[in-house]
Amino acid sequence: MKIAIMGAMVEEITPLLDFFGTYETLEFAKNRYYTTTYKGMELVIAYSKIGKVNASLTATTLIEKFGAEQLLFSGVAGALNPNLRIGDVLVATALAQHDLDITAFGHPHGYVPEGSVYVDTDASLRALAHKVAKAQNIILQEGIIATGDQFICDGVKKEWIHTTFKADATEMEGASVAVVCDALKIPFCVLRAISDAADMDAGFSFDEFLVSSAKESAQFIIAMLDEL
Ligand code: ADE
């Protein structure tokens, strides 16, 4: 089984590369891909750079060029649900693009013809995440993630995304990875640890907690690999 592990920023995959220790590096399409093996599994690891376009390119490359059969996304997110705190870990049930807008033609936010507002994540990977959380005594939240090419740091915008998409967290890659994996029929999950509250202090909070929250998410992914 070949498994892709993907982040958006170098901080999101560094804990993985540090853990696996040795890996091969391949360059493709202005990006680096790291391959290694772990407990009989072939792994291919990459960070896409920020945003939906970069994430789509990387997810497609991981699947089509490197032959990944499952994809696990690891990283940080801003909380929209007031019950989520810095460092909390969330597994996405479904993802939507909050900045996709052809409402001028009567469509709901996040919808384009022949698509759907939400893309569901793989139920068995989600179940695996819950099993790992239980075994490790970690509280794992589950919820909707809204993705857009915007760092959300404004209370009004935050509330709009929260209510429009019933979303619990926001980030900048997950829904595009979801569209790619869904189209290419690759089971995937998106795991995110909270780095900020997507409010006016989000920039400071993100800078402060990016490394620690990214590490939490990466450690959880490693625990999932142990159970795969
Ligand atoms: N990733 C982490 N925090 C975020 C935020 N507030 N907005 C968008 N992406 C994020």
Side-chain angles (χ1 to χ4, degrees), residues 76-78 150-153 170-172 192 195-198 202 206:
V76 302
Q150 298 159 2
F151 183 82
I152 305 302
C153 51
T170 188
E171 35 83 311
M172 302 178 68
R192 295 276 189 175
S195 58
D196 59 85
F206 181 88

Side-chain angles (χ1 to χ4, degrees), residues 6-228:
M6 173 177 171
M9 301 174 70
V10 67
E11 291 85 351
E12 291 172 328
I13 68 155
T14 297
L16 298 163
L17 297 180
D18 288 350
F19 176 79
F20 297 120
T22 54
Y23 43 83
E24 240 187 89
T25 306
L26 290 116
E27 300 219 355
F28 180 76
K30 292 193 175 176
N31 209 354
R32 275 186 219 108
Y33 291 81
Y34 305 93
T35 60
T36 190
T37 54
Y38 180 64
K39 297 192 173 172
M41 292 172 274
E42 285 185 85
L43 303 181
V44 52
I45 303 165
Y47 74 93
S48 57
K49 296 173 276 194
I50 294 167
K52 292 191 294 177
V53 174
N54 285 326
S56 305
L57 172 62
T58 299
T60 306
T61 302
L62 286 164
I63 296 163
E64 288 296 308
K65 185 173 172 62
F66 289 93
E69 296 159 283
Q70 299 204 333
L71 189 149
L72 314 176
F73 192 103
S74 180
V76 302
L80 303 174
N81 183 329
N83 296 326
L84 285 171
R85 306 265 169 238
I86 306 286
D88 283 357
V89 185
L90 174 94
V91 65
T93 50
L95 300 100
Q97 298 180 60
H98 67 70
D99 57 351
L100 189 54
D101 183 352
I102 54 164
T103 54
F105 301 95
H107 295 298
H109 284 279
Y111 178 85
V112 289
E114 298 180 49
S116 58
V117 175
Y118 298 97
V119 178
D120 292 339
T121 55
D122 182 69
S124 26
L125 285 174
R126 245 169 27 228
L128 176 71
H130 284 294
K131 185 178 157 199
V132 165
K134 202 168 173 197
Q136 304 231 344
N137 230 354
I138 295 169
I139 297 167
L140 177 67
Q141 317 262 8
E142 189 173 85
I144 292 171
I145 288 182
T147 301
D149 285 323
Q150 298 159 2
F151 183 82
I152 305 302
C153 51
D154 170 80
V156 174
K157 181 90 200 190
K158 166 184 172 167
E159 223 22 67
W160 181 83
I161 298 170
H162 181 52
T163 52
T164 306
F165 294 93
K166 297 181 178 57
D168 300 289
T170 188
E171 35 83 311
M172 302 178 68
E173 297 81 21
S176 60
V177 173
V179 169
V180 168
C181 290
D182 181 59
L184 297 174
K185 298 189 170 61
I186 293 296
F188 73 100
C189 80
V190 178
L191 198 83
R192 295 276 189 175
I194 299 301
S195 58
D196 59 85
D199 56 9
M200 60 190 272
D201 299 321
F204 300 105
S205 180
F206 181 88
D207 281 344
E208 190 173 347
F209 296 107
L210 166 63
V211 168
S212 57
S213 292
K215 196 168 174 182
E216 274 202 55
S217 178
Q219 280 168 345
F220 196 97
I221 292 282
I222 293 164
M224 282 179 71
L225 290 179
D226 288 333
E227 298 293 330
L228 258 177

